[in-house]
Amino acid sequence: MPFRVEIVPKTSAFPSTPSGPRVAVLAYDGLCTFEFGVAYEVFGLPRPEAGPLWYRYAVCAAEPGPLRAGGGLTVAVEGGLEVLAEADLIVVPGWRAIDAPVPPDLVLALRDAHAGGARLMSLCSGLAVLAATGLLDGRTATTHWRYAAAIAARHPAIALDPGVLYVDEGRILTAAGSAAGIDLCLHVVRGDFGPDLANAVARRLVVPPHREGGQAQFIEAPVLRAHEAARLGPVIDAMRAGLHEDRPLAAMARLAGMSLRTFQRRFTAATGLPPGEWIVAERLRLAREMLERPATVPLAEIAAACGFRNPAGLRHHFRSRLGTSPAAYRRSFSGRRP
């Protein structure tokens, strides 16, 4: 007999405190518990350090219950689709099957909520639900690489990019595989509350605040043997701690106790990027964090702290790799506090 979990919100679906954005997470028969748990961990846990503007969290049943969930659970949810009308952000966990039909009343409720100003976010195969609404037609989206062909065949109007971890289209956001849902949720927190609080949430989850690269590094990739990971770990830590310094590849290889060719090969297998590319990506990650902070740090100081020779070098890599400028990136965060 399955274990029963009662999820019973208060009389009002969204609690009166805190008073920040209202997040509704869908529950349905065949619920994917990992993605559901990710949404709860990021948006639903109390965070007194965030102050009174933290998210208000509720669960919305997409259909009558009780609802079966992965892992032998049965979930009972008090709120129905009417909860979506109050939400500022709606999270769709991985759908029960990539080819499973989406109930018409759920499609209509999501379209109405979006028209009312709500952001919609899918995790992993939850893209199938957002795709059914038609709201992604003509937009870019992503999902787990193993589902990309099926989604592309059924929804050719969506510009599907299976090579990235997540896509932010403004009021519609999509994540790739299950763990990429954590990346996207942290991205939302970063946009709503700034990098310091997003980093604090990441530390509580014991995950990095940013992951560089895309899904390609996880597709059919070999798993490093334990002794290789142990040898590369200290090198990666040293590289992250000294992003402002020039670090020749030969010196990094010596630190790892490997030949240069072996180091390059194993580093690429471990991170998905060659060492030089990885350093640039990490420097850009640090630059983004500094640009996201409320205090305006001069671009020359950011460039120096991140290991770029001058602001022109930072601008070049920002434009070539991120498709924007440091100034535009800074502006995108200056007005996105709740």
Side-chain angles (χ1 to χ4, degrees), residues 150-199:
I151 290 289
R154 295 172 62 189
H155 302 279
I158 299 175
L160 202 65
D161 185 353
V164 298
L165 295 176
Y166 59 82
V167 173
D168 181 347
E169 278 273 357
R171 290 202 297 119
I172 303 183
L173 307 97
T174 54
S178 299
I182 301 175
D183 297 294
L184 180 53
C185 290
L186 290 174
H187 170 75
V188 169
V189 174
R190 191 177 303 116
D192 288 346
F193 290 92
D196 291 340
L197 194 49
N199 291 349

Side-chain angles (χ1 to χ4, degrees), residues 79-312:
L81 290 176
E82 71 281 355
V83 174
L84 300 186
E86 301 179 61
D88 300 302
L89 171 64
I90 298 168
V91 182
V92 184
W95 191 229
R96 48 190 165 220
I98 198 65
D99 56 352
V102 181
D105 55 346
L106 174 56
V107 169
L108 180 61
L110 288 170
R111 290 184 63 89
D112 287 347
H114 184 262
R119 290 178 288 176
L120 307 181
M121 182 167 73
S122 67
L123 309 182
C124 196
S125 57
L127 178 68
V129 176
L130 296 192
T133 68
L135 294 170
L136 277 169
D137 290 357
R139 296 174 179 266
T140 302
T142 192
T143 187
H144 194 290
W145 56 266
R146 66 182 295 195
Y147 302 134
I151 290 289
R154 295 172 62 189
H155 302 279
I158 299 175
L160 202 65
D161 185 353
V164 298
L165 295 176
Y166 59 82
V167 173
D168 181 347
E169 278 273 357
R171 290 202 297 119
I172 303 183
L173 307 97
T174 54
S178 299
I182 301 175
D183 297 294
L184 180 53
C185 290
L186 290 174
H187 170 75
V188 169
V189 174
R190 191 177 303 116
D192 288 346
F193 290 92
D196 291 340
L197 194 49
N199 291 349
V201 175
R203 284 194 296 272
R204 185 162 169 178
L205 291 169
V206 198
V207 298
H210 298 272
R211 281 198 299 163
E212 303 300 331
Q215 293 194 72
Q217 61 185 298
F218 305 108
I219 301 172
E220 303 294 333
V223 177
L224 286 179
R225 292 188 293 273
H227 75 275
E228 291 179 351
R231 292 166 74 183
L232 285 175
V235 180
I236 290 175
D237 289 342
M239 292 163 69
R240 280 201 174 106
L243 291 174
H244 60 289
E245 303 172 355
D246 288 329
R247 290 185 175 271
L249 287 181
M252 292 186 285
R254 285 195 299 271
L255 181 60
M258 301 177 186
S259 69
L260 181 58
R261 291 184 61 183
T262 299
F263 173 73
Q264 289 176 303
R265 184 179 72 252
R266 293 182 178 174
F267 189 96
T268 302
T271 67
L273 292 171
E277 295 289 310
W278 184 90
I279 290 174
V280 172
E282 283 292 301
R283 286 172 170 167
L284 286 174
R285 175 193 60 77
L286 179 58
R288 291 202 308 269
E289 284 191 11
M290 297 180 72
L291 289 166
E292 290 164 10
R293 298 184 189 280
T296 301
V297 179
L299 196 61
E301 291 185 21
I302 294 177
C306 298
F308 297 103
R309 294 184 183 277
N310 49 52

Side-chain angles (χ1 to χ4, degrees), residues 3-34:
F3 181 74
R4 185 178 180 83
V5 177
E6 295 281 347
I7 303 177
V8 183
K10 299 176 182 178
T11 304
S12 174
F14 295 95
S16 57
T17 55
S19 59
R22 295 164 295 190
V23 179
V25 182
L26 283 179
Y28 49 83
D29 195 50
L31 179 65
C32 293
T33 49
F34 183 89

